[in-house]
Amino acid sequence: MSLSAISRIGGRATAAILAGAAGSTAYLYETDEGAKRSIQAYACFCPVILHYRLVELKDKFVSKVGEEEWEELDERYAERTVATLGRLQGMYAKYGQTAAGLTNTLGDAWVRELRKLENEIPPRPVETVHRTIEDETNRKVHEIFSEFDPTPLGSASIG
C-alpha cells in the first residue's frame, strides 16, 4: 500500500471520528443536562484559559508582561466567566465560591466577581425544585406541603 493511500485512509478515518464525536456531543447536549452544563462550561472556560496561557508564554519567551496587562486580562474575563459559573449553578457555583477565598492568588477583578457568587446565586426554576423534592421523597409536592409558593424567599448554595 502506498503512502498516499495510507494518508487518504487516515484522513477519512480522522474525519469519521470527528464527525462521530460531534454527533455524540450534540446528542448529549440535547439529552443529558449534566453533559449540557459541562459543554457550556468548557465552551466558556477554555478560551479564557488559553488566553492566559498564551500571555504566560509571551511573558516567559517573548517579553515581560506588565501588571497592567494582567489586570486588563482579568477585567476582560472575570465578569462573564463568573456569570457563567452562576448560571450553571451547582458545583460550578461552589467552585467559584471557594475560589473567592483565594485573595492572595487571584487578581482584584476575579475576587470582586467571585464574591458575587456568595450571595447572588439565581434561584432554580420552580419545576426543578418540585422535581428534586419528588425524586427525593417519592411523593408529589402537594402531598407533602399544604401550599408551595413558587416565588423563592431567597436562594443559596449550601455546602
Side-chain angles (χ1 to χ4, degrees), residues 71-133:
E71 289 172 5
E72 287 174 17
L73 204 57
D74 292 348
E75 289 293 341
R76 179 176 179 177
Y77 290 116
E79 185 176 356
R80 76 173 177 159
T81 303
V82 172
T84 299
L85 290 171
R87 191 181 79 256
L88 293 173
Q89 297 184 333
M91 70 175 191
Y92 298 102
K94 184 54 67 186
Y95 291 154
Q97 290 168 339
T98 302
L102 300 175
T103 56
N104 61 337
T105 305
L106 298 173
D108 292 341
W110 283 101
V111 172
R112 180 185 67 240
E113 293 302 322
L114 289 164
R115 292 261 184 232
K116 293 178 181 179
L117 293 175
E118 295 176 334
N119 58 12
E120 297 180 22
I121 295 289
R124 294 202 177 219
V126 70
E127 298 80 20
T128 302
V129 174
H130 279 232
R131 188 172 53 250
T132 300
I133 291 169

